Amino acid sequence: MKLKNEFLYRHTWFLYILGNILLVGLLFFGTPINNSKCWYTIPGIGSFQPSEFMKIFLMLALATMIHNFRSEHKNIDAKDEFIFLLKSLVIVGIPSVLTFLQPDTGAVIIYLVIYIAMLFISGIRMRWFVSGFSLVAVILGGVLSIYFLEKDLFIKLFGTSIFYRLDRIFDWQSGSGLQLENALAAIGSAGLFGHGFNKTPIYFPEASTDFIFAVFASNFGLVGSLILIGIIIFFDVSILNLARRKIVDTDKYIIAGIIGMLIFQQVQNIGMTVGLLPITGITLPFISYGGSSLLSYMILIGIILNISSEKDITYKYK
């Protein structure tokens, strides 16, 4: 809040490049945790996860790109939009590939959600969304066909790492797996008011991060879970109402990215915890354990508070 949003917009590309340098460094100097190199270890402080901050840097970069594109082109045709989409795909693609190599599939999905949400609010022609989703559906359909019909060929083409990630995602169809089965048992046994604070009755992996909602539900029951979901909905609606105010377009793009990311993570995390959605390693904002995660969300809150307090401001940056 002290820096103000204009400062962030002016230094967008420095932050974006810094974020990518940190992601590259992880491949060489990252500390392996659960077979992933997603963290730096800082002596005396703890671990640091660059992908959490890359979400913010990506929002800033995309908001700046969209703002400049719409400012420089008064009459935008399909060719202009296509060139812009190619440029923006490169901006999203670089951190996505670097993050995927860690590997951290959940963060990559969030990058793409941010990208789609910000494009949607930018006013780009709907044909690009239809074309993009159709292309993704065809490619994904081909990959999944090989996965289900020719598992040996899939492993040869894509490797065991990607095979394991898909295998983990599709465990939810049968409700199998220690993590999901024990999480459902913990939630189902909680009743109306739960077992009490810090009294989760059964063990399941990643309880403090991916499956934090199962811990909360088992501790505080149905009533506590409904209160938490109510607070989440109130929080999201408050941010959406801010976007309806008369604010500069760059801020609107940022809010679109923030709300898209938050709603996706909230729905995905709670959905996968109760077996309705695939398990993807997506955390629950503000609730899941993680210092880097919490700090990144608080930075976003600072950006939101700046937007709510700024009136009649015209940003001047490139």
Side-chain angles (χ1 to χ4, degrees):
M1 288 186 67
K2 293 286 186 181
L3 293 174
K4 300 302 180 183
N5 290 354
E6 186 176 5
F7 175 87
L8 297 176
Y9 295 148
R10 286 182 181 276
H11 296 84
T12 288
W13 297 111
F14 169 78
L15 294 172
Y16 175 81
I17 292 170
L18 175 63
N20 281 297
I21 291 173
L22 290 172
L23 291 177
V24 171
L26 282 175
L27 303 177
F28 302 98
F29 309 110
T31 303
I33 300 176
N34 295 333
N35 299 317
S36 297
K37 286 188 174 182
C38 302
W39 298 268
Y40 289 106
T41 298
I42 303 175
I45 297 177
S47 59
F48 165 69
Q49 188 174 3
S51 62
E52 292 292 339
F53 300 95
M54 193 67 224
K55 300 172 190 175
I56 304 173
F57 303 156
L58 187 58
M59 288 182 200
L60 293 170
L62 289 172
T64 302
M65 285 187 70
I66 296 170
H67 168 81
N68 291 339
F69 173 69
R70 301 202 71 83
S71 299
E72 294 168 1
H73 297 80
K74 300 304 179 183
N75 298 312
I76 302 174
D77 57 24
K79 180 182 177 181
D80 293 330
E81 286 188 340
F82 181 70
I83 294 173
F84 168 75
L85 285 173
L86 290 180
K87 291 179 180 178
S88 62
L89 276 173
V90 171
I91 295 300
V92 177
I94 293 172
S96 296
V97 171
L98 293 174
T99 305
F100 187 80
L101 292 174
Q102 295 175 9
D104 186 355
T105 310
V108 175
I109 296 173
I110 294 172
Y111 295 161
L112 296 177
V113 169
I114 290 170
Y115 180 50
I116 293 170
M118 296 182 74
L119 278 184
F120 186 79
I121 203 70
S122 71
I124 198 168
R125 289 175 172 85
M126 194 58 63
R127 72 176 70 169
W128 300 116
F129 290 99
V130 175
S131 300
F133 286 128
S134 299
L135 179 61
V136 170
V138 170
I139 295 174
L140 190 59
V143 171
L144 292 180
S145 296
I146 299 173
Y147 169 80
F148 286 114
L149 300 177
E150 296 288 343
K151 293 188 183 295
D152 292 336
L153 176 61
F154 184 93
I155 293 174
K156 288 180 181 179
L157 292 174
F158 302 105
T160 55
S161 175
I162 296 179
F163 178 82
Y164 167 75
R165 289 188 231 183
L166 283 178
D167 206 40
R168 184 169 178 259
I169 288 173
F170 286 110
D171 275 347
W172 73 283
Q173 288 183 309
S174 59
S176 62
L178 172 69
Q179 198 172 25
L180 180 57
E181 289 176 355
N182 286 12
L184 290 173
I187 295 171
S189 64
L192 282 177
F193 301 104
H195 300 284
F197 176 65
N198 207 25
K199 294 181 179 179
T200 306
I202 190 170
Y203 167 79
F204 44 89
E206 309 299 335
S208 62
T209 53
D210 300 2
F211 276 71
I212 190 63
F213 184 77
V215 175
F216 187 93
S218 68
N219 286 186
F220 302 107
L222 177 62
V223 173
S225 299
L226 291 177
I227 292 173
L228 175 61
I229 292 172
I231 293 172
I232 288 173
I233 293 172
F234 175 78
F235 180 72
D236 292 345
V237 170
S238 298
I239 299 176
L240 284 171
N241 286 335
L242 177 60
R244 297 171 62 185
R245 288 175 41 183
K246 187 178 180 180
I247 57 177
V248 296
D249 58 353
T250 320
D251 289 341
K252 284 191 176 182
Y253 304 144
I254 287 287
I255 290 178
I258 293 173
I259 198 65
M261 178 191 72
L262 289 176
I263 291 177
F264 170 75
Q265 288 193 242
Q266 291 155 357
V267 172
Q268 174 61 38
N269 180 272
I270 296 174
M272 75 179 188
T273 301
V274 298
L276 294 178
L277 293 172
I279 298 173
T280 55
I282 302 293
T283 56
L284 186 59
F286 299 102
I287 309 297
S288 293
Y289 173 82
S292 298
S293 173
L294 182 59
L295 180 57
S296 69
Y297 293 129
M298 295 309 291
I299 292 172
L300 291 176
I301 292 300
I303 292 174
I304 291 171
L305 292 176
N306 278 334
I307 294 172
S308 68
S309 62
E310 292 170 347
K311 297 179 180 179
D312 301 322
I313 290 179
T314 302
Y315 295 133
K316 297 179 181 179
Y317 54 86
K318 284 289 183 181

